[in-house]
Amino acid sequence: MRVTIADVARAAGVSKTTVSRVVNGKADVDGSTAGRVREVIAGLGYVPSSGAVGLARGSSRTVGMLVPSLTWPWMGELLQGVVDTVEAADYGLLLFTCNRGADSVRRFTGQVSARAFDGLVVVEPENTLGHLTELHLAGLPIVLIDDRGHHPAFPSVVTTNHEGGASAARHLRDSGHTRPLVVTGPRGFGCVRDRTRGFASVLPDALVAQGDFTERGGRLAVEQLLSSGTEFDSVFAHNDISAVGALRALRAAGRRVPDDVAVVGFDDIPVARHTEPPLTTVRQPTRRMGETAARMLLSHLGGTPVPDEPVVLPTELIVRHSAP
C-alpha cells in the first residue's frame, strides 16, 4: 500500500501541513522537527506527489511534448534529444500524441488546464497550429520543432530544407547526372515546397512525381516512370523511406544503383546506412533539433527571452554508395 503524507505526519507526530513544508523546502520549520520528518520519510519510503510539490513551488518541473505520432521514422532521434536535455535539467517529460485526432487534442487541453506541465515542445499535429497559438498567447510557453515550414507566433527550431534540396541537386549534377526524378512528399508541407525549390534552383528541368513520404509512394513513382519508358538517370526522394521504395523498384526492374540510376534521400534515418547499397542522403539534425528546442524552452522557463526569429540548424549531405 502506498505511503501517504498522513502516514508520515502520524509517525512524526506533526501535522500534514508541516510535512508538506519540509517536503517543499520551506524555511519556517524548526530544524529538529524537520530532521525528524525527514527520518520518517526515509524510513517509510514516502514519495511525494510531483503534482503537489509543483503546485506548492509554483512549478511542476515537468515539460510537455506534443507530437502527431511516434511512428514517424525520425521521431525516436528527435525525442531522445528532448529527453536528454530535459532530464539533465532535472525536469520530467509528459508525452502526448494525436493518434486519435480531436479526442487526443481534448485530452491534451485538459492537461494544459490542469497545469500538468510548465511549457511545451511541439512537433505540430495537423490542423492544430491555431489552437497552439491561442495557448501560447494565453501564457503557455511553447517551442515548435517546425517540419512543415510554418512561421508561428512563438519560438521555433527549423532546418535548411531549401539548401538541403540544393545540395542533393549539386551532388547529382557534379557527378554527371542530368535527368533526375524528384519524388516529393505531400504538397501541404512547407518542407516539401522548400526541398523542391532548392533542388530546382540547381537542376530546373527535373521530372517530378507526387509522393507521400511512404515506401510504397517511392516505389510506385519509380515503377510508373519505368513503365512509361521515360528515361532518367537519378532519383531524389524527399525522405529516406521513399528512397527505400525507389531502390526496391529499381532493383526489381534490373536497374543497377548507382551504375544505371543514382539515388539520394533526405533525413539520414538509421535505415539509410543499411540499405543495399547504403543510401546517400541529406542529413536532418533531428536529435540536435530536439535538444535545441528543449534548451530554448528551459531557458525561457528560467527567465531568458527567446529569439524572435526561428533558430535554423543546417542540413548536411552524407555521401554513400547509392550516389557516390
Side-chain angles (χ1 to χ4, degrees):
M1 183 179 294
R2 184 170 181 243
V3 178
T4 68
I5 193 170
D7 297 328
V8 175
R10 188 163 45 250
V14 298
S15 68
K16 290 189 290 185
T17 300
T18 298
V19 175
S20 177
R21 289 181 178 280
V22 172
V23 167
N24 287 289
K26 303 294 184 181
D28 54 352
V29 180
D30 175 75
S32 61
T33 301
R36 185 168 74 253
V37 170
R38 292 191 189 97
E39 287 178 4
V40 171
I41 287 172
L44 295 179
Y46 171 62
V47 179
S49 160
S50 60
V53 172
L55 287 173
R57 293 178 178 172
S59 164
S60 68
R61 291 200 67 80
T62 300
V63 166
M65 185 172 182
L66 177 65
V67 302
S69 170
L70 295 178
T71 61
W72 289 17
W74 44 261
M75 189 61 73
E77 280 290 297
L78 189 147
L79 179 59
Q80 193 63 56
V82 173
V83 168
D84 290 346
T85 305
V86 165
E87 290 186 346
D90 199 27
Y91 271 68
L93 182 71
L94 281 178
L95 181 64
F96 304 92
T97 64
C98 277
N99 291 321
R100 298 180 60 188
D103 286 344
S104 298
V105 173
R106 275 194 293 273
R107 285 199 304 274
F108 163 72
T109 302
Q111 295 295 312
V112 175
S113 300
R115 295 170 58 197
F117 50 87
D118 301 329
L120 184 67
V121 174
V122 180
V123 178
E124 182 210 341
E126 199 165 3
N127 300 319
T128 59
L129 186 60
H131 181 56
L132 293 169
T133 301
E134 289 176 5
L135 291 174
H136 176 73
L137 293 176
L140 178 67
I142 298 178
V143 176
L144 177 68
I145 298 173
D146 187 9
D147 71 308
R148 299 188 185 218
H150 291 150
H151 299 286
F154 48 84
S156 63
V157 178
V158 303
T159 193
T160 52
N161 286 296
H162 186 282
E163 172 54 29
S167 69
R170 282 194 297 270
H171 179 69
L172 290 174
R173 180 199 63 192
D174 294 348
S175 54
H177 298 89
T178 60
R179 189 68 172 156
L181 165 66
V182 177
V183 182
T184 74
R187 288 192 183 94
F189 281 51
C191 63
V192 169
R193 294 191 294 272
D194 288 345
R195 290 171 196 177
T196 301
R197 290 168 183 160
F199 193 91
S201 70
V202 177
L203 289 172
D205 297 324
L207 302 163
V208 178
Q210 176 69 45
D212 58 3
F213 284 157
T214 67
E215 184 275 337
R216 180 176 182 273
R219 179 166 41 84
L220 288 178
V222 170
E223 288 174 348
Q224 288 165 5
L225 201 61
L226 288 169
S227 65
S228 73
T230 304
E231 291 299 321
F232 62 102
D233 61 10
S234 52
V235 176
F236 170 50
H238 274 200
N239 74 341
D240 291 341
I241 294 297
S242 298
V244 168
L247 287 171
R248 287 175 177 167
L250 291 165
R251 183 164 55 246
R255 299 292 183 98
R256 298 170 301 166
V257 178
D259 296 340
D260 298 326
V261 181
V263 178
V264 178
F266 203 108
D267 286 338
D268 196 28
I269 61 175
V271 73
R273 295 184 285 277
H274 304 292
T275 56
E276 182 54 46
L279 185 64
T280 292
T281 187
V282 179
R283 175 177 292 163
Q284 221 182 169
T286 48
R287 183 176 293 217
R288 189 175 161 206
M289 291 171 77
E291 293 169 348
T292 301
R295 279 199 302 270
M296 287 170 63
L297 181 61
L298 293 172
S299 294
H300 182 40
L301 295 176
T304 302
V306 292
D308 293 329
E309 297 296 322
V311 173
V312 182
L313 301 180
T315 53
E316 178 187 4
L317 182 72
I318 305 298
V319 178
R320 300 192 181 100
H321 297 309
S322 71

